[in-house]
Amino acid sequence: MIRKAEIALKILVNNIVDESTLLAEHGISIFIDLKYDSRHEYFLMDTGQKSTTLLHNMKEMNIETLKLKITSIILSHGHYDHTGGIKGILENISQAVPIIAHPDVFIPRISYVGGFRNISCPFTQSEIRQVGGELLLTRDPVKINDFLITTGEVPRKNKYETNPYFRKISKDSWME
């Protein structure tokens, strides 16, 4: 038997907006609305740079956080423009939410384009847990349901995949 699903994606945070009441900022957040069988599940892929932008745009798109049952939040990586809205969104959701991310998502990150700048996730694991985030940190793919799976860690095999101006700091040493 072939099972079918309907999926709708809404860009909640992005660098560009047309003339509208939505706010733009550097970063991204995507709302995933998945319907299959008799189920209806919601996911967030990344949370943008600031929760104020994320929550404003959700309100403008008629996505009510307090009534929403988020199945999970998926973080693509640990830069502030993908993780900065996480604490604020968790504070506005009425249940605990699994957070699927790479184990290095909380490692300090530095950019040295035009001077040193912190580009890390602005929150600690403890701060995320205090507001209802249940961390699932793994390098492996995660099968969320029959229609949604994360890739897990994607190894960098090509020279163009590294950025000489971005570094992670681990055990007091620079990492690419």
Side-chain angles (χ1 to χ4, degrees):
M1 179 175 167
I2 297 174
R3 294 172 62 210
K4 294 183 180 182
E6 291 179 38
I7 189 166
L9 305 176
K10 291 185 179 182
I11 306 299
L12 298 175
V13 176
N14 189 351
N15 295 8
I16 302 167
V17 294
D18 290 328
E19 293 179 33
S20 74
T21 57
L22 298 176
L23 300 175
E25 70 179 15
H26 176 68
I28 194 155
S29 179
I30 303 167
F31 182 75
I32 303 167
D33 183 345
L34 178 64
K35 297 177 192 173
Y36 62 97
D37 301 335
S38 60
R39 298 182 61 104
H40 197 160
E41 297 181 340
Y42 306 102
F43 304 87
L44 276 182
M45 176 72 183
D46 293 335
T47 61
Q49 186 180 147
K50 297 186 299 268
S51 62
T52 52
T53 304
L54 177 61
L55 293 167
H56 170 85
N57 289 352
M58 288 178 84
K59 182 178 177 184
E60 292 297 311
M61 293 178 167
N62 296 314
I63 301 170
E64 297 183 47
T65 56
L66 290 176
K67 295 180 182 177
L68 200 56
K69 297 277 189 216
I70 297 275
T71 301
S72 64
I73 296 173
I74 304 151
L75 299 177
S76 63
H77 63 286
H79 289 166
Y80 73 100
D81 57 323
H82 293 255
T83 61
I86 193 165
K87 186 175 175 193
I89 191 70
L90 289 170
E91 290 170 337
N92 283 276
I93 295 175
S94 58
Q95 89 277 356
V97 178
I99 311 294
I100 301 169
H102 190 279
D104 292 349
V105 74
F106 295 102
I107 285 180
R109 290 170 160 73
I110 300 293
S111 167
Y112 53 100
V113 176
F116 284 92
R117 180 170 64 96
N118 182 349
I119 58 171
S120 306
C121 174
F123 308 108
T124 65
Q125 290 184 42
S126 176
E127 288 174 304
I128 299 304
R129 285 187 181 107
Q130 286 174 359
V131 292
E134 297 175 347
L135 296 173
L136 172 56
L137 304 178
T138 181
R139 287 179 164 76
D140 298 325
V142 175
K143 183 177 180 181
I144 298 170
N145 57 42
D146 287 343
F147 302 98
L148 194 59
I149 186 169
T150 67
T151 62
E153 183 173 42
V154 177
R156 294 180 181 179
K157 297 179 179 179
N158 302 295
K159 187 175 182 172
Y160 65 83
E161 294 176 297
T162 60
N163 184 328
Y165 301 105
F166 286 9
R167 292 285 186 264
K168 292 187 273 185
I169 302 170
S170 180
K171 298 180 183 154
D172 298 325
S173 64
W174 294 95
M175 299 168 45
E176 283 196 19

